Amino acid sequence: MGGLRVDLSGAEIRVDPAGGAAADDGGSPPVFLPRQPAAPPLLALDIGGTLIKLVYTASCGGGGAELRFAKFERRRMQECFDFVRAQGLVHRNGSTMGSSKENIALKASGGGAYKYTEDFREKLGVCLDKVDEMDSVVSGANFLLQSVPGAAFTHMNGKKSSVDISPNNLFPYLLVNIGSGVSILKVTGNRKFERVTGTHIGGGTMFGLAKLLTGCKSYDEFLQLSQKGDNFVLDLIVKDICGELVCQKQGLSTSTLASSFGKVITSKKKLTDYRPEDLASTLLSAFTYNIAQISFLVASILRLRRVFFGGSYIRGHKSTMQNISYAIDFWSQSKMQAVFLQHEGYLGALGALMSYGDSGDKNMNLEEMKEEENIHESATPIDETSTDEHNDGNIFPYLLVNIGSGVSMIEVTGNGKFERIIGSHLGGGTILGLARLLTGCSSYDEFLELSQRGNNLAVDLTVGDIYGEHGYPKIGLPASTTAASFGKVSSSRLSEYKVEDLAAALLNSFTYNIGQIAYFVANLSGLKRIFFRGAYICGHEKTMDKISHSLKYWSKGQVQTTFLCHEGFLGTLGAFWSYENMGIDGLAAHDVIREVLLGAPYTGQLPSLPLTHQQDNGEDTTFEGEVERLRHDNAVLKAELERLQRENTELKAKLVKSGKPNTFYH
């Protein structure tokens, strides 16, 4: 195989006479290679957590060859074997690509290249020449960006626009690869990159939850359902929290997303009462916005303005690209652009194909992978600066993370001096909303009790499930690491899964996500101390433990985490914290809290609604009713403040009595 190689010069996307790109897999048009010999054919694979992707060369007539693309679900591996035989890429006697040798090697990337070696040997009579997955993904992306005109494009406001990129001005850039999970890489040159981070909330999460909530059988079916749905049926928006009058006063869009699935927690509807289309639309918006937000934060920390998105879960789907594009534009204030790639799902397979004839490549085994430690570990903080000694007499500045139905992150720089930095729509309302749909629980406490008895690994896809028992040591991912929350869900029958396991997976996925985003925001703002508050964490030991573990993992212990469970409490260093000496007594006590908790991505334009309209339960909501509701909420907040102040007084008295008056901050 050493004499075989791919000639990429003059590559171009093949367009049919009618003016459209002819694609043999329904979405990835062939790439014409005018100088590549048609024979012998070359084949490379990327065997991921849920899909097997194939890239192969084929004769196209008139000289040259074409790169063609195909994909199969990993659980239907036999269909992949049948396809390879049918295309003449492997002969029954074990020879392939014109060779008479037995057990000739095919270039293969992805964790499945290690797990399914014997399957390919048994079924096709070939061995798999393993190419590192991250190397392949980056090589594939660089090939498209440097050698294929028109491979990069933007998708904004429903318009697809080609992006011309000079190979001399390509690096550095951020590559976000959306597979079952998400890997985020900083690429600085050909074969020069580092995996800076990733998230377990990726395509596998969307598809796994989509199976359970909608009964869909394929990811393409899920995408089709989402096109016909309305996420506002289940999502909590700003108008639902503040009312239309407050939105008008503050200049807020009434349809700004506050909490994905947040309406479910106050609804009496069951899962079967919701349309699959609306559930699918809500899932898609929830997780595409989240991936975009994490990508924006990482790009900001690394000071990168160019962000490319690839991976098999994009699939050229308009709503997926639109959501990601809007969110990147929203959070960056139009300073960043989301750029997509043709053949985005085949980056790994393309990179593996290009390794034919590469003298620098080698057949990697797991022991050799374990010896390579020069790649950035996924758990390593992006900012490696050491933590300054905390001055307990002055806690400012710090990050305040309020976890309600959504999540708001506020930088507090002094007494009464604070600014909302960012928010997330995946908060407590999302956790409980999905929990009610998946488990039927009636309260957050019941959900937490279920999660205590469950095992998230029953539904979560781990690195070991993809790569085998040794994990992916080259980038520091042990086998036990979660690769994709709900990525192991294979059945569309909800009844086949224990509610306890589903609850455990929900708690694990969203608390870790909140912790990751909080760390990135603190990193970006140069903050070393994070305080958490909100009804969805305080008093819930399991939730606090998960968030603490997440912050410790991401920051390597560089960030101090404290929970505000009531207005006065003992902090982790024995110091007495209160909203007053933290400088947020006004924020915690008054309606201003509502104003700073808003601001997740705008999700679309709703028609203006009259001040009097019908609710789902048939009751009228009037101007007077809205005012009365706000008065009631204010009374509740006032009563809660008085209760917390009493607790504060009692706690201070106990501390004075114990002989430790100097622990107070004034």
Side-chain angles (χ1 to χ4, degrees):
M1 299 296 296
L4 297 176
R5 61 182 303 110
V6 184
D7 190 336
L8 304 175
S9 56
E12 62 179 0
I13 296 174
R14 177 59 64 94
V15 179
D16 67 19
D24 56 347
D25 80 333
S28 297
V31 175
F32 179 52
L33 302 178
R35 297 177 179 84
Q36 175 68 24
L42 298 177
L43 168 65
L45 308 95
D46 178 13
I47 310 173
T50 52
L51 292 173
I52 303 174
K53 285 82 67 178
L54 282 68
V55 177
Y56 60 98
T57 61
S59 174
C60 58
E66 284 183 342
L67 288 182
R68 295 181 181 175
F69 306 84
K71 64 177 180 286
F72 301 89
E73 291 186 43
R74 201 177 73 175
R75 62 190 177 92
R76 296 177 176 173
M77 192 173 291
Q78 185 59 48
E79 294 181 10
C80 174
F81 296 148
D82 294 340
F83 177 84
V84 170
R85 291 195 190 96
Q87 295 297 315
L89 301 174
V90 172
H91 301 298
R92 292 187 182 277
N93 63 359
S95 62
T96 182
M97 292 171 281
S99 172
S100 60
K101 295 182 180 180
E102 295 288 333
N103 292 329
I104 198 165
L106 294 179
K107 296 288 186 179
S109 177
Y114 298 92
K115 285 194 68 174
Y116 300 104
T117 294
E118 291 305 314
D119 294 87
F120 277 84
R121 191 188 306 275
E122 177 183 343
K123 299 292 185 180
L124 294 178
V126 300
C127 63
L128 298 181
D129 185 7
K130 295 132 183 117
V131 185
D132 180 71
E133 180 177 359
M134 296 302 161
D135 291 338
S136 297
V137 167
V138 172
S139 294
N142 284 343
F143 158 63
L144 292 174
L145 292 169
Q146 293 175 313
S147 303
V148 183
F153 63 93
T154 59
H155 194 285
M156 193 71 178
N157 299 321
K159 182 181 179 181
K160 179 178 177 180
S161 302
S162 180
V163 176
D164 293 326
I165 299 174
S166 169
N168 298 324
N169 190 34
L170 173 60
F171 307 110
Y173 67 84
L174 196 70
L175 177 61
V176 182
N177 194 54
I178 306 174
S180 298
V182 179
S183 284
I184 302 179
L185 305 99
K186 179 183 178 181
V187 183
T188 55
N190 290 317
R191 300 189 178 183
K192 296 179 181 179
F193 69 93
E194 60 179 346
R195 184 186 186 274
V196 290
T197 192
T199 171
H200 54 273
I201 295 183
T205 311
M206 282 190 281
F207 189 25
L209 286 172
K211 291 176 189 175
L212 298 174
L213 294 175
T214 72
C216 67
K217 299 295 192 298
S218 70
Y219 192 73
D220 289 326
E221 181 185 353
F222 158 66
L223 292 177
Q224 291 171 4
L225 286 171
S226 70
Q227 291 288 87
K228 306 171 187 175
D230 179 7
N231 64 292
F232 290 114
V233 174
L234 295 97
D235 284 347
L236 192 70
I237 56 177
V238 169
K239 181 174 68 69
D240 301 319
I241 298 175
C242 289
E244 195 161 356
L245 291 176
V246 175
C247 289
Q248 292 174 355
K249 179 181 177 182
Q250 298 297 326
L252 298 170
S253 167
T254 58
S255 56
T256 296
L257 178 59
S259 175
S260 294
F261 291 93
K263 280 184 182 174
V264 177
I265 62 178
T266 57
S267 173
K268 296 181 180 180
K269 292 181 179 180
K270 298 179 180 179
L271 175 59
T272 53
D273 296 326
Y274 291 99
R275 296 171 62 232
E277 293 84 353
D278 297 335
L279 291 162
S281 178
T282 305
L283 280 173
L284 186 69
S285 63
F287 295 120
T288 50
Y289 281 143
N290 189 71
I291 292 169
Q293 182 175 45
I294 290 175
S295 303
F296 156 71
L297 290 171
V298 174
S300 298
I301 292 170
L302 298 175
R303 294 184 173 88
L304 298 175
R305 290 290 176 262
R306 186 172 287 163
V307 186
F308 293 97
F309 288 85
S312 57
Y313 282 89
I314 297 178
R315 305 201 182 182
H317 185 244
K318 293 180 180 179
S319 294
T320 299
M321 295 186 292
Q322 177 65 30
N323 288 350
I324 291 173
S325 297
Y326 181 85
I328 291 289
D329 183 78
F330 176 92
W331 277 305
S332 71
Q333 299 180 337
S334 300
K335 294 178 181 178
M336 291 183 195
Q337 236 183 357
V339 183
F340 303 93
L341 300 171
Q342 294 273 14
H343 314 95
E344 73 283 298
Y346 295 91
L347 301 184
L350 278 168
L353 187 80
M354 292 188 309
S355 70
Y356 280 115
D358 185 353
S359 59
D361 191 57
K362 64 178 181 178
N363 187 357
M364 298 183 65
N365 58 51
L366 289 171
E367 293 304 317
E368 290 171 326
M369 286 180 67
K370 284 193 276 188
E371 293 175 0
E372 296 199 33
E373 298 178 351
N374 58 332
I375 299 296
H376 191 82
E377 292 185 4
S378 66
T380 304
I382 294 175
D383 183 359
E384 298 266 8
T385 56
S386 61
T387 307
D388 294 330
E389 193 73 25
H390 290 303
N391 180 0
D392 297 326
N394 181 13
I395 66 171
F396 307 112
Y398 64 86
L399 183 69
L400 176 65
V401 181
N402 188 85
I403 304 179
S405 294
V407 180
S408 184
M409 300 187 187
I410 305 159
E411 181 178 6
V412 184
T413 56
N415 286 312
K417 298 178 181 179
F418 49 83
E419 178 184 4
R420 182 189 182 282
I421 303 176
I422 202 168
S424 171
H425 52 286
L426 299 186
T430 312
I431 300 174
L432 184 53
L434 282 170
R436 290 195 62 179
L437 295 174
L438 293 172
T439 72
C441 67
S442 58
S443 69
Y444 191 63
D445 287 329
E446 182 184 352
F447 158 68
L448 291 177
E449 289 176 7
L450 287 173
S451 71
Q452 294 273 39
R453 302 194 299 269
N455 178 15
N456 66 290
L457 296 181
V459 293
D460 286 350
L461 187 72
T462 67
V463 172
D465 294 324
I466 301 173
Y467 284 91
E469 62 180 349
H470 297 288
Y472 194 173
K474 183 174 181 180
I475 59 172
L477 294 178
S480 60
T481 303
T482 300
S485 295
F486 293 93
K488 201 182 289 183
V489 173
S490 58
S491 172
S492 299
R493 295 182 180 179
L494 182 58
S495 59
E496 293 186 13
Y497 297 91
K498 293 172 59 178
V499 293
E500 293 86 354
D501 296 339
L502 296 173
L506 278 174
L507 184 65
N508 188 69
S509 61
F510 289 103
T511 51
Y512 272 74
N513 187 69
I514 291 170
Q516 182 181 31
I517 292 176
Y519 165 64
F520 287 155
V521 172
N523 190 314
L524 184 60
S525 302
L527 304 174
K528 298 297 183 182
R529 182 173 280 155
I530 304 178
F531 289 90
F532 288 86
R533 73 181 292 271
Y536 284 93
I537 56 169
C538 291
H540 302 296
E541 183 177 350
K542 185 78 170 179
T543 308
M544 292 188 288
D545 180 67
K546 291 283 187 181
I547 291 177
S548 296
H549 186 77
S550 175
L551 261 297
K552 184 177 181 180
Y553 175 86
W554 291 111
S555 74
K556 287 290 187 181
Q558 298 293 302
V559 172
Q560 180 188 354
T561 306
T562 309
F563 296 91
L564 304 175
C565 292
H566 43 74
E567 199 269 345
F569 70 100
L570 288 177
T572 56
L573 300 180
F576 183 85
W577 306 121
S578 72
Y579 287 159
E580 181 178 0
N581 62 45
M582 290 179 67
I584 57 170
D585 53 324
L587 170 62
H590 302 111
D591 280 347
V592 68
I593 189 70
R594 294 188 172 200
E595 299 173 17
V596 299
L597 297 186
L598 308 175
Y602 175 62
T603 60
Q605 183 64 46
L606 283 179
S608 299
L609 297 176
L611 291 181
T612 302
H613 63 281
Q614 287 291 117
Q615 297 277 38
D616 291 342
N617 58 10
E619 297 178 359
D620 284 335
T621 298
T622 62
F623 176 85
E624 292 79 7
E626 179 71 13
V627 172
E628 183 60 32
R629 185 181 70 80
L630 291 174
R631 286 174 177 169
H632 171 74
D633 288 350
N634 186 57
V636 171
L637 289 171
K638 185 177 180 180
E640 179 67 9
L641 175 62
E642 292 174 353
R643 182 185 69 80
L644 294 173
Q645 287 174 334
R646 286 195 301 271
E647 288 185 9
N648 185 24
T649 301
E650 293 171 1
L651 186 56
K652 286 181 179 179
K654 289 180 181 178
L655 288 171
V656 172
K657 189 175 181 180
S658 67
K660 298 179 180 179
N662 293 330
T663 58
F664 293 100
Y665 290 109
H666 301 286

